[in-house]
Amino acid sequence: MSDRDSVVTVDELDEADEREEERGKESRRDGFGGGRDRYGADRRDDRGQQSFGFQELASKVLQIQAKRFYIDVNENRRGRFVKLSEVSAMGGRSRLVMDMTTAAEFHDKLTEFIEHYSALGPRSHRDGEGDGKLKSEVIHSGDRRYYLDLKENNRGRFLKVAMTLPPPSHERSQIVIPAQGMIDIRDALTDLLSEFGKENKQDESQTSAPAESEDGKISLQIDNKVFSFDVQDNRRGKYLRISEISPNYRTAINIPHQSWNQFKELLRSSTVHKEAVKAEEGVPQNGSSD
């Protein structure tokens, strides 16, 4: 099973709730007006109770210049997802929806855009291309695409984030974040992903015995994470690939063969130091996976 198999997809949310959207259930909160969109965030019945199996887990509200941004973490029977909504000073609204894996990638891209924006000099008509574009990235999530464009015009610099839906609709929605507000959005996502990015939290760390597959790959499960250790070769030589896999994301590092002994010594030294500090502070040394 891949790390995406257990994650809700936006397409599944659309299919699950399209019929209810057409029935025009218009109850909403937060003054947005209209009904909850078909992505299913926090639908409510006539008694104000959440219905259709959706639950809002957390919500953050940010005021950035004249706009309000809502970042919601919601959950249905298929999993969790993030909804990012923009409300203009005139009441206009637009929203994007992404699964938790895509939200984590979006968070990382935001950091890259923040760093790029911080390195820019004073605004000039000569900056960027003819359309005022300063930096662009694309996030691929199944049949969906998320386009991130840092741009500038005579009113300032801003990040435009557009989401395109797959055929046959080809619908496109977008939000525009003032460049100064990218840090606020990123930091809010950091908090939400840290708390809700893992769907199967446990109070205590549970570690299984290491297992070796037929191809020689060794894996170790700790809580809802799996750490995989795989020795591979390429044209540059032998290396150890260490992968961290959870229900919502996957990341990996490669350690060249010539650095194995140094890496092992650094790991041992840092572990010994950490245990010594805990002993001095009187902290139990049972540890955790984090």
Side-chain angles (χ1 to χ4, degrees), residues 77 85 98 101 107 144 152 157 184 210 239 267 276:
R77 67 186 182 277
S85 305
M98 54 190 74
T101 302
H107 168 276
R144 296 182 180 252
E152 72 170 8
R157 290 168 175 164
D184 296 327
Y239 63 94
L267 181 61

mmCIF file of all heavy atoms in Angstrom, residues 77 85 98 101 107 144 152 157 184 210 239 267 276:
data_model
loop_
_atom_site.group_PDB
_atom_site.id
_atom_site.type_symbol
_atom_site.label_atom_id
_atom_site.label_comp_id
_atom_site.label_asym_id
_atom_site.label_seq_id
_atom_site.Cartn_x
_atom_site.Cartn_y
_atom_site.Cartn_z
ATOM 1 N N ARG A 77 -15.624 10.198 6.250
ATOM 2 C CA ARG A 77 -15.372 8.765 6.431
ATOM 3 C C ARG A 77 -14.123 8.310 5.678
ATOM 4 O O ARG A 77 -13.585 7.237 5.962
ATOM 5 C CB ARG A 77 -16.596 7.964 5.962
ATOM 6 C CG ARG A 77 -16.844 8.041 4.472
ATOM 7 C CD ARG A 77 -18.143 7.360 4.085
ATOM 8 N NE ARG A 77 -18.371 7.393 2.651
ATOM 9 C CZ ARG A 77 -18.891 8.425 2.016
ATOM 10 N NH1 ARG A 77 -19.219 9.513 2.690
ATOM 11 N NH2 ARG A 77 -19.082 8.383 0.710
ATOM 12 N N SER A 85 -9.775 29.115 2.436
ATOM 13 C CA SER A 85 -10.776 30.019 1.872
ATOM 14 C C SER A 85 -10.310 31.463 1.991
ATOM 15 O O SER A 85 -9.690 31.852 2.979
ATOM 16 C CB SER A 85 -12.119 29.868 2.595
ATOM 17 O OG SER A 85 -12.563 28.528 2.588
ATOM 18 N N MET A 98 -7.504 20.523 -0.476
ATOM 19 C CA MET A 98 -6.406 19.602 -0.746
ATOM 20 C C MET A 98 -6.328 18.543 0.332
ATOM 21 O O MET A 98 -6.689 18.807 1.491
ATOM 22 C CB MET A 98 -5.082 20.364 -0.852
ATOM 23 C CG MET A 98 -4.755 21.243 0.322
ATOM 24 S SD MET A 98 -3.304 22.344 0.021
ATOM 25 C CE MET A 98 -4.028 23.564 -1.089
ATOM 26 N N THR A 101 -1.668 15.187 2.325
ATOM 27 C CA THR A 101 -0.374 15.068 1.673
ATOM 28 C C THR A 101 -0.077 16.295 0.829
ATOM 29 O O THR A 101 1.022 16.855 0.862
ATOM 30 C CB THR A 101 -0.329 13.807 0.791
ATOM 31 O OG1 THR A 101 -0.585 12.658 1.596
ATOM 32 C CG2 THR A 101 1.022 13.662 0.107
ATOM 33 N N HIS A 107 2.652 23.494 2.018
ATOM 34 C CA HIS A 107 3.360 24.145 3.122
ATOM 35 C C HIS A 107 4.843 24.307 2.781
ATOM 36 O O HIS A 107 5.443 25.375 2.985
ATOM 37 C CB HIS A 107 3.181 23.308 4.391
ATOM 38 C CG HIS A 107 4.067 23.701 5.527
ATOM 39 N ND1 HIS A 107 5.373 23.244 5.654
ATOM 40 C CD2 HIS A 107 3.856 24.497 6.601
ATOM 41 C CE1 HIS A 107 5.912 23.746 6.738
ATOM 42 N NE2 HIS A 107 5.017 24.510 7.334
ATOM 43 N N ARG A 144 -5.480 16.548 -10.330
ATOM 44 C CA ARG A 144 -5.547 17.982 -10.033
ATOM 45 C C ARG A 144 -4.184 18.630 -10.114
ATOM 46 O O ARG A 144 -3.158 17.985 -9.928
ATOM 47 C CB ARG A 144 -6.166 18.216 -8.656
ATOM 48 C CG ARG A 144 -7.606 17.742 -8.610
ATOM 49 C CD ARG A 144 -8.243 18.022 -7.275
ATOM 50 N NE ARG A 144 -9.612 17.531 -7.323
ATOM 51 C CZ ARG A 144 -10.673 18.313 -7.372
ATOM 52 N NH1 ARG A 144 -10.527 19.613 -7.321
ATOM 53 N NH2 ARG A 144 -11.876 17.786 -7.442
ATOM 54 N N GLU A 152 3.879 40.418 -9.295
ATOM 55 C CA GLU A 152 3.789 41.791 -8.822
ATOM 56 C C GLU A 152 3.073 42.639 -9.853
ATOM 57 O O GLU A 152 3.097 42.354 -11.056
ATOM 58 C CB GLU A 152 5.172 42.367 -8.525
ATOM 59 C CG GLU A 152 6.014 42.663 -9.743
ATOM 60 C CD GLU A 152 7.273 43.444 -9.409
ATOM 61 O OE1 GLU A 152 7.572 43.621 -8.205
ATOM 62 O OE2 GLU A 152 7.950 43.873 -10.346
ATOM 63 N N ARG A 157 3.235 43.009 -4.413
ATOM 64 C CA ARG A 157 3.551 41.620 -4.720
ATOM 65 C C ARG A 157 2.567 40.685 -4.036
ATOM 66 O O ARG A 157 2.104 40.970 -2.926
ATOM 67 C CB ARG A 157 4.987 41.300 -4.288
ATOM 68 C CG ARG A 157 6.032 41.984 -5.161
ATOM 69 C CD ARG A 157 7.415 41.920 -4.576
ATOM 70 N NE ARG A 157 8.397 42.497 -5.505
ATOM 71 C CZ ARG A 157 9.615 42.866 -5.172
ATOM 72 N NH1 ARG A 157 10.036 42.724 -3.912
ATOM 73 N NH2 ARG A 157 10.428 43.386 -6.071
ATOM 74 N N ASP A 184 2.169 34.090 7.506
ATOM 75 C CA ASP A 184 1.030 33.790 8.380
ATOM 76 C C ASP A 184 0.322 32.513 7.929
ATOM 77 O O ASP A 184 -0.046 31.669 8.762
ATOM 78 C CB ASP A 184 0.041 34.965 8.390
ATOM 79 C CG ASP A 184 0.640 36.219 8.983
ATOM 80 O OD1 ASP A 184 1.472 36.100 9.897
ATOM 81 O OD2 ASP A 184 0.280 37.323 8.539
ATOM 82 N N PRO A 210 12.291 -5.036 13.865
ATOM 83 C CA PRO A 210 12.691 -4.819 12.475
ATOM 84 C C PRO A 210 12.343 -6.027 11.615
ATOM 85 O O PRO A 210 12.449 -7.174 12.059
ATOM 86 C CB PRO A 210 14.205 -4.600 12.571
ATOM 87 C CG PRO A 210 14.443 -4.158 13.982
ATOM 88 C CD PRO A 210 13.412 -4.873 14.810
ATOM 89 N N TYR A 239 24.827 3.676 -1.737
ATOM 90 C CA TYR A 239 24.284 4.592 -0.743
ATOM 91 C C TYR A 239 23.165 3.906 0.040
ATOM 92 O O TYR A 239 22.593 2.899 -0.404
ATOM 93 C CB TYR A 239 23.761 5.876 -1.387
ATOM 94 C CG TYR A 239 22.608 5.673 -2.357
ATOM 95 C CD1 TYR A 239 21.283 5.789 -1.937
ATOM 96 C CD2 TYR A 239 22.847 5.365 -3.693
ATOM 97 C CE1 TYR A 239 20.235 5.610 -2.821
ATOM 98 C CE2 TYR A 239 21.809 5.174 -4.579
ATOM 99 C CZ TYR A 239 20.492 5.302 -4.133
ATOM 100 O OH TYR A 239 19.462 5.111 -5.011
ATOM 101 N N LEU A 267 25.183 9.612 14.990
ATOM 102 C CA LEU A 267 23.951 9.108 15.578
ATOM 103 C C LEU A 267 24.200 8.594 16.986
ATOM 104 O O LEU A 267 23.428 8.885 17.916
ATOM 105 C CB LEU A 267 23.381 7.996 14.688
ATOM 106 C CG LEU A 267 22.071 7.363 15.155
ATOM 107 C CD1 LEU A 267 20.959 8.395 15.218
ATOM 108 C CD2 LEU A 267 21.676 6.215 14.226
ATOM 109 N N ALA A 276 22.264 11.420 28.362
ATOM 110 C CA ALA A 276 22.971 12.029 29.487
ATOM 111 C C ALA A 276 22.232 13.250 29.999
ATOM 112 O O ALA A 276 22.113 13.467 31.213
ATOM 113 C CB ALA A 276 24.393 12.404 29.062
#
